[in-house]
Amino acid sequence: MRLGPWQQAAVYATLVIVALSGVVWFALHDFVEEEPSDLQRWSLILHGVSAFAALIVFGSLLPLHVRSGWLRRRNIASGLSITIVMTVLIVTALLLYYGGEEMRAPARWTHIGIGLLAFALFPMHVIFGHRSRPLAAPEQARKSEPTIDVPKQSASLVHSKRPAA
């Protein structure tokens, strides 16, 4: 199922920001600076804030986009891989924040490794999605995608029973 323009922009923007801020923090923390700096601190803050936004965006994909792909059996392997990657990133982030000291190193390296893997996985999912679309006209392709069934409201909910003034 194709994403709407606002949702696609939200997905791309949050994932780019969370990924780049994570890579910047990792590079500064592990390769460039020996002492923590303001740039390191702000990149970690940006990473955390954008990760919350990415969680909201990811949650918005579950009821329609993920469900539609699953039911239509399209892009299952890469979609399932992304769902697993996001789940591992969420769990390891929680372990980094709330886990004990003995969990810190394994959670950190798992988070970094899976996060770097996501750099390849997300673009692959988009490319596979474009390739698996039917070669129909854009109007037909949109009509073939699932829609949301909204129950019709009764007339009493739509129109007021008060007489016009």
Side-chain angles (χ1 to χ4, degrees), residues 24-25 28 33 36-44:
V24 166
W25 178 83
L28 291 174
E33 300 174 349
S37 67
D38 284 343
L39 180 58
Q40 199 179 109
R41 181 174 166 266
W42 281 106
S43 64
L44 190 58

Side-chain angles (χ1 to χ4, degrees), residues 7-104:
Q7 197 171 27
Q8 187 175 27
V11 168
Y12 291 161
T14 57
L15 293 180
V16 165
I17 293 169
V18 76
L20 291 179
S21 61
V23 167
V24 166
W25 178 83
F26 175 59
L28 291 174
H29 183 268
D30 288 345
F31 298 111
V32 177
E33 300 174 349
E34 292 189 22
E35 294 296 319
S37 67
D38 284 343
L39 180 58
Q40 199 179 109
R41 181 174 166 266
W42 281 106
S43 64
L44 190 58
I45 289 170
L46 180 60
H47 186 67
V49 170
S50 59
F52 276 109
L55 283 173
I56 293 168
V57 169
F58 180 62
S60 78
L61 297 175
L62 294 174
L64 293 177
H65 181 75
V66 173
R67 184 172 185 265
S68 169
W70 185 263
L71 293 174
R72 296 168 80 196
R73 299 286 182 232
R74 284 190 44 209
N75 228 356
I76 295 287
S78 65
L80 189 58
S81 298
I82 285 176
T83 304
I84 291 167
V85 161
M86 289 299 292
T87 302
V88 170
L89 289 172
I90 292 165
V91 169
T92 55
L94 289 171
L95 287 173
L96 285 168
Y97 198 75
Y98 295 110
E101 197 59 38
E102 68 281 352
M103 291 300 301
R104 185 154 187 72

Side-chain angles (χ1 to χ4, degrees), residues 122-142:
F122 285 105
M124 283 178 18
H125 181 68
V126 173
I127 292 166
F128 291 157
H130 286 289
R131 288 185 180 169
S132 70
R133 280 200 193 119
L135 296 175
E139 296 81 30
Q140 288 177 329
R142 283 194 192 108

